[in-house]
């Protein structure tokens, strides 16, 4: 780690500490962990799962440890607190917000609601698999619409594929595994139009990473349009993938179909951590900056090796390796680097998640060494 970097990382930790008067017993946790430049089978570089390898913000970590002391109690107070934080941040009424154990429960329940309505799902391909996988499990049909030549979601083709029996339209924006976005005005029109015929679910799992004037969250639509659901997650920029917090934004009548009437299944540790994490803009900016540094490293490698790639709006890249992604994964695994799984039909493209910039440079160096 360079002195410059460690100093900057210390500053982020230090400011967070000052803000929350972290107990001295936690002082070890003040520094951002060292990058993993000697990966092993037990401690690989995890560039395969779109996680935040920096973990939680120090502010979140502190309150989570405190909340663990009260984990034997039902805790409805902190749920209200979290809802208020999100309501204020997003400028939404509290009754339009539901909290879940990640966003997956909402994605799954939307598929359940579609099945109950006896309908089909309409979605682009490739995209995130939760809704389509649940639909498959429930035995309901899905209509999938290939992304365009430019690998962007093709709204015109989706419109053309819409039928009367589609009861759920799923869009992931930014998409996954292709980190493209849908232009905001076109998406807004599409959502409003489709919501007259079916439920529309926009999965904004990666929205915090987007730095693109053509992007906008569709969250504002939920107050005016009953059939629109927005899903968000703390699993990405907040590092809560293993802690589990996510959100749905929707009209209260729609919320009844996709959320529990009595939310007893949230973990108090997770909720308390999220209250803090969502207010820690310094940490979010830090992670976003590190993500940008990683993306610069990857994009330089793509340019140098003349590999086609999709400009990323997220915490992962998608590039044309020109060889099976299984082969890339296998070779990188020999060096204890994990990369993304294959995504049909783009089996010679690779999804690579960002890690810490030093680790990303290590990955890029190894990639050049093996395939360059
Ligand atoms: C687009 C998308 N939505 C949802 C999820 C799952 O989120 P959660 O951990 O909140 O259940 C992921 C996880 O990778 C994802 O990529």
């Amino acid at each position: 780690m360079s002195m410059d970097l460690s100093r900057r990382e210390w500053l982020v930790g230090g400011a967070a500490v000052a803000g929350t008067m972290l107990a001295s017993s936690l002082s070890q946790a003040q520094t951002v962990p060292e990058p993993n430049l000697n990966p092993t089978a037990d401690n690989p570089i995890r560039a395969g799962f779109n996680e935040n390898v920096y973990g939680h913000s120090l502010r979140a970590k502190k309150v989570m440890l405190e909340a663990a002391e009260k984990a034997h109690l039902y805790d409805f107070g902190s749920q209200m607190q979290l809802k208020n934080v999100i309501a204020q941040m997003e400028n939404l009424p509290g009754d339009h917000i539901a909290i879940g154990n990640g966003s997956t429960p909402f994605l799954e329940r939307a598929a359940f609601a579609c099945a109950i309505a006896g309908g089909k799902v309409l979605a682009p391909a490739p995209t995130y698999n939760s809704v389509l996988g649940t639909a498959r499990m429930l035995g309901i049909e899905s209509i999938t619409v290939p992304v365009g030549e430019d690998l962007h979601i093709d709204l015109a083709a989706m419109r053309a594929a819409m039928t009367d029996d589609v009861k759920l339209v799923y869009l992931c924006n930014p998409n996954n595994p292709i980190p493209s976005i849908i232009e905001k005005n076109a998406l807004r029109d599409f959502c409003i139009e489709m919501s007259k015929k079916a439920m529309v679910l926009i999965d904004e799992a990666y929205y915090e990473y987007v730095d693109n004037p053509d992007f906008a969250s569709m969250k504002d639509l939920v107050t005016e349009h009953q059939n629109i659901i927005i899903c968000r997650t703390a699993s990405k920029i907040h590092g809560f993938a293993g802690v589990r917090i996510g959100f749905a934004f929707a009209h209260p009548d729609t919320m009844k179909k996709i959320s529990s009437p009595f939310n007893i299944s949230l973990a108090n540790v997770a909720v308390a951590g999220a209250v803090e994490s969502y207010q820690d803009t310094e940490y979010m900016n830090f992670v976003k900056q590190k993500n940008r540094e990683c993306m610069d490293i990857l994009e330089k490698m793509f340019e140098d090796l003349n590999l086609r790639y999709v400009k990323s709006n997220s915490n992962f890249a998608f590039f044309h390796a020109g060889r099976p992604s299984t082969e890339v994964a296998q070779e990188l695994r020999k060096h204890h680097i994990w990369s993304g799984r294959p995504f049909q039909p783009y089996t010679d493209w690779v999804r690579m998640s960002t890690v810490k910039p030093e680790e990303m440079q290590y990955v890029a160096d190894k990639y050049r060494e093996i395939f360059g």
Side-chain angles (χ1 to χ4, degrees):
M1 183 192 287
S2 74
M3 279 311 288
D4 181 44
L5 188 65
S6 63
R7 206 174 308 121
R8 263 185 293 144
E9 287 179 342
W10 174 261
L11 279 173
V12 168
V17 169
T20 57
M21 293 183 282
L22 189 68
S24 60
S25 62
L26 287 174
S27 59
Q28 272 310 104
Q30 290 175 21
T31 47
V32 174
E34 289 289 321
N36 177 11
L37 298 180
N38 289 301
T40 61
D42 290 339
N43 187 26
I45 294 180
R46 298 171 63 108
F49 293 108
N50 301 350
E51 298 157 331
N52 169 3
V53 298
Y54 282 100
H56 314 127
S57 90
L58 294 174
R59 285 174 56 176
K61 210 176 272 184
K62 177 182 179 281
V63 296
M64 283 196 277
L65 289 172
E66 287 167 2
E69 294 295 324
K70 297 182 195 155
H72 57 295
L73 305 173
Y74 292 116
D75 175 16
F76 301 110
S78 59
Q79 287 187 30
M80 278 317 297
Q81 231 183 321
L82 180 56
K83 209 175 258 196
N84 289 339
V85 167
I86 300 299
Q88 207 163 12
M89 258 180 84
E90 303 294 347
N91 195 24
L92 286 173
D95 62 356
H96 284 58
I97 298 168
I99 310 169
N101 298 311
S103 56
T104 297
F106 300 118
L107 300 177
E108 291 178 347
R109 286 184 198 143
F112 273 82
C114 178
I116 291 166
K120 295 179 185 171
V121 177
L122 176 67
T127 197
Y128 187 62
N129 199 39
S130 186
V131 168
L132 293 172
T134 307
R136 220 167 15 249
M137 183 191 90
L138 294 168
I140 61 172
E141 240 182 273
S142 295
I143 301 168
T144 53
V145 180
V147 294
E149 277 285 297
D150 58 359
L151 301 194
H152 284 56
I153 289 172
D154 185 345
L155 291 186
M158 288 196 66
R159 208 176 249 115
M162 183 68 181
T163 60
D164 287 344
D165 48 9
V166 166
K167 299 292 179 212
L168 176 62
V169 178
Y170 172 70
L171 288 173
C172 186
N173 190 38
N175 199 12
N176 176 14
I178 303 172
S180 59
I181 56 144
I182 307 168
E183 195 278 326
K184 60 190 176 193
N185 296 317
L187 179 59
R188 184 171 293 273
D189 292 348
F190 181 85
C191 288
I192 294 170
E193 183 189 331
M194 291 297 139
S195 71
K196 292 178 180 140
K197 304 171 190 163
M199 196 67 78
V200 177
L201 195 170
I202 312 293
D203 183 347
E204 296 183 345
Y206 298 95
Y207 97 104
E208 291 100 336
Y209 291 101
V210 188
D211 218 349
N212 186 330
D214 287 336
F215 173 87
S217 167
M218 291 297 119
K219 63 169 183 180
D220 300 340
L221 294 180
V222 301
T223 48
E224 298 279 320
H225 302 275
Q226 193 163 332
N227 274 348
I228 296 178
I229 304 165
I230 308 298
C231 283
R232 295 272 184 85
T233 181
S235 295
K236 304 303 170 183
I237 205 161
H238 295 277
F240 274 49
V243 183
R244 314 302 300 145
I245 286 289
F247 303 94
F249 305 153
H251 187 279
D253 288 342
T254 298
M255 211 58 109
K256 285 180 197 153
K257 298 179 186 169
I258 57 160
S259 68
S260 307
F262 183 56
N263 206 349
I264 204 167
S265 59
L266 294 171
N268 76 331
V269 172
V271 175
V275 168
E276 218 41 48
S277 194
Y278 275 85
Q279 296 179 88
D280 194 347
T281 47
E282 192 172 4
Y283 182 69
M284 285 184 268
N285 289 337
F286 167 75
V287 176
K288 215 174 146 176
Q289 165 62 22
K290 292 294 170 191
N291 187 62
R292 187 61 256 163
E293 289 172 29
C294 285
M295 218 44 93
D296 289 345
I297 291 165
L298 287 178
E299 286 177 2
K300 175 157 180 15
M301 181 185 92
F302 301 151
E303 303 285 346
D304 289 351
L305 299 182
N306 208 17
L307 302 173
R308 188 181 165 203
Y309 67 99
V310 176
K311 193 86 185 152
S312 180
N313 295 278
S314 209
N315 69 345
F316 57 92
F318 196 60
F319 66 97
H320 185 227
R323 49 172 50 84
S325 62
T326 46
E327 181 192 323
V328 173
Q330 213 168 32
E331 288 304 313
L332 290 175
R333 272 226 175 206
K334 290 180 187 166
H335 300 274
H336 310 300
I337 295 166
W338 294 0
S339 56
R341 66 177 177 82
F343 295 97
Q344 298 288 345
Y346 295 91
T347 50
D348 57 355
W349 287 67
V350 171
R351 192 187 72 183
M352 181 78 75
S353 314
T354 58
V355 280
K356 294 176 185 167
E358 303 87 337
E359 296 168 354
M360 202 83 263
Q361 190 59 58
Y362 182 92
V363 172
D365 291 347
K366 279 283 175 254
Y367 192 95
R368 284 170 201 265
E369 207 177 291
I370 304 166
F371 303 111

